[in-house]
Amino acid sequence: LPSPELRLAIVGDPVSHSLSPAMHEAALHECGLSGSYKRVRTKPRQLAGMLDQLRRKGYDGFNVTIPHKESILPMLPTIDEPAQRIRAVNTVRLTDAGYRGYNTDSSGFERVIEALDHKSGPALILGAGGAARACIDVLMRSGWSVTIANRGSERLRSLPANTASMDLSDLRALQQAVNIADLVVNATPVGLNHLEESPLPDRIVFGRDAVVMDLVYVPLETRLLADAARAGCRVIDGLALLAAQAADSFEIWTDKRLPDEFFRQAAVEGELLTRARTFQYGQFGMPAGEEVI
Ligand code: NAP
């Protein structure tokens, strides 16, 4: 019998510019699997209904993105341990017991970190949302001492007890944390689509040889990474995590493992194709990026 079609999707809002369809469709093709990966734009009030609909239509799994990574938790019958700890799900697979939630931002980040020369030390995380919580969880478990700098104080209240935290506007404390950090990670959206914006205020300077990682990948070289590279730091762009989390999600759905580099390349090619289409049709005349399931 021919293998059944795998039905995959990304559920979120916005999803029209997601690179996940390009990565996962290339991976399906590479593994000789037939299937599809659709963009499913879903507003918060539509989420529960959308999960039912995906199940009725035989979807095998999907990615979850902004704004549902946290609010989906109570809607899933089972959730694996890291995702429960982090309180965020970015990958869902259909099992005999219904949908099961996972967090591959966490497993992907773990692999990116394992490839570093520094195995532990002081780390500074900018932001305290879902992505930051995945990074913090991984770093704490591998022995890093973590400081979190966030704009607001609300999210700082529910972070792990043995982390230090500060306000992003406390320039003195921020500069001190940057001075001693072996690793700085931007887990805020600042810099996304804005070449001139950095999550670090202008007066903050990279004084030593840290590794600086951005989770934002549009543009690929953000202002933060450009500043860090100029100061002599090693930089890791947002495609590193995008590719790593995609490789882990794909394995959860298919039991097939492809290298992170495969997903990175597919994302780059997907982005080039999107730009070519935008050039051809104009930003607003572009064929709809969202699909009906
Ligand atoms: P989230 O849960 O909404 O958290 C956003 C965080 O950024 C919060 O701590 C928020 O601070 C802070 N923030 C938002 N706007 C800010 C601003 N203008 N100035 C300073 N801080 C600001 O979002 P998330 O899911 O963690 O995602 C964060 C970023 O990481 C997004 O850009 C996302 O696309 C990216 N990401 C990338 C990957 C990847 O694969 N490369 C994976 C996951 C996420 P407040 O508490 O003050 O609101």
Side-chain angles (χ1 to χ4, degrees):
L1 281 174
S3 63
E5 287 254 315
L6 262 175
R7 308 193 79 178
L8 304 171
I10 182 161
V11 174
D13 185 23
V15 288
S16 58
H17 291 91
S18 170
L19 293 175
S20 293
M23 291 192 292
H24 289 292
E25 287 188 343
L28 287 171
H29 186 258
E30 179 75 8
C31 294
L33 297 169
S34 63
S36 61
Y37 185 106
K38 296 199 168 171
R39 299 176 161 93
V40 182
R41 185 174 174 208
T42 309
K43 304 256 174 238
R45 63 183 158 74
Q46 301 170 322
L47 183 61
M50 185 55 79
L51 297 194
D52 287 342
Q53 212 179 319
L54 287 165
R55 198 156 127 179
R56 276 202 310 277
K57 297 202 169 167
Y59 272 72
D60 301 286
F62 51 89
N63 282 125
V64 183
T65 189
I66 283 175
H68 308 309
K69 285 186 181 182
E70 202 169 338
S71 56
I72 196 171
L73 264 79
M75 301 175 193
L76 299 171
T78 61
I79 297 169
D80 89 330
E81 226 257 309
Q84 276 184 43
R85 253 193 344 257
I86 296 159
R87 285 180 286 114
V89 160
N90 78 326
T91 302
V92 175
R93 182 173 71 102
L94 187 61
T95 69
D96 293 339
Y99 281 135
R100 180 169 174 80
Y102 301 83
N103 190 310
T104 66
D105 287 335
S106 151
S107 55
F109 181 74
E110 193 167 7
R111 209 160 51 255
V112 175
I113 291 305
E114 275 167 8
L116 299 179
D117 295 335
H118 296 291
K119 294 304 169 209
S120 64
L124 171 64
I125 308 295
L126 310 175
R133 288 203 303 275
C135 299
I136 294 163
D137 184 71
V138 167
L139 290 169
M140 303 261 304
R141 293 171 80 80
S142 34
W144 291 74
S145 59
V146 179
T147 300
I148 299 134
N150 199 47
R151 174 184 64 177
S153 56
E154 187 62 40
R155 282 185 162 102
L156 292 177
R157 285 192 204 117
S158 52
L159 290 171
N162 37 352
T163 51
S165 62
M166 68 176 73
D167 196 292
L168 251 182
S169 63
D170 183 347
L171 294 188
R172 254 174 81 104
L174 193 58
Q175 183 64 65
Q176 276 170 6
V178 169
N179 287 345
I180 62 160
D182 284 336
L183 174 69
V184 177
V185 181
N186 176 32
T188 78
V190 183
L192 178 66
N193 292 330
H194 290 284
L195 271 174
E196 70 289 355
E197 283 182 7
S198 168
L200 288 178
D202 277 348
R203 282 171 45 205
I204 301 294
V205 286
F206 291 105
R208 64 196 285 282
D209 199 13
V211 174
V212 179
M213 179 170 173
D214 208 329
L215 303 193
V216 169
Y217 52 83
V218 180
L220 209 47
E221 190 184 54
T222 55
R223 162 87 192 280
L224 177 77
L225 294 189
D227 288 349
R230 214 174 303 114
C233 299
R234 183 178 159 208
V235 298
I236 302 178
D237 65 41
L239 280 192
L241 179 59
L242 187 77
Q245 61 80 28
D248 289 354
S249 298
F250 189 75
E251 188 178 16
I252 286 171
W253 298 321
T254 64
D255 286 328
K256 308 260 187 233
R257 185 87 212 162
L258 289 172
D260 294 350
E261 187 51 38
F262 177 87
F263 288 89
R264 184 183 175 96
Q265 198 52 44
V268 169
E269 282 162 20
E271 174 65 16
L272 287 178
L273 200 64
T274 305
R275 279 200 220 160
R277 285 207 192 108
T278 310
F279 180 71
Q280 188 174 358
Y281 297 104
Q283 199 176 358
F284 302 105
M286 217 168 96
E290 292 134 19
E291 292 150 307
V292 180
I293 59 164

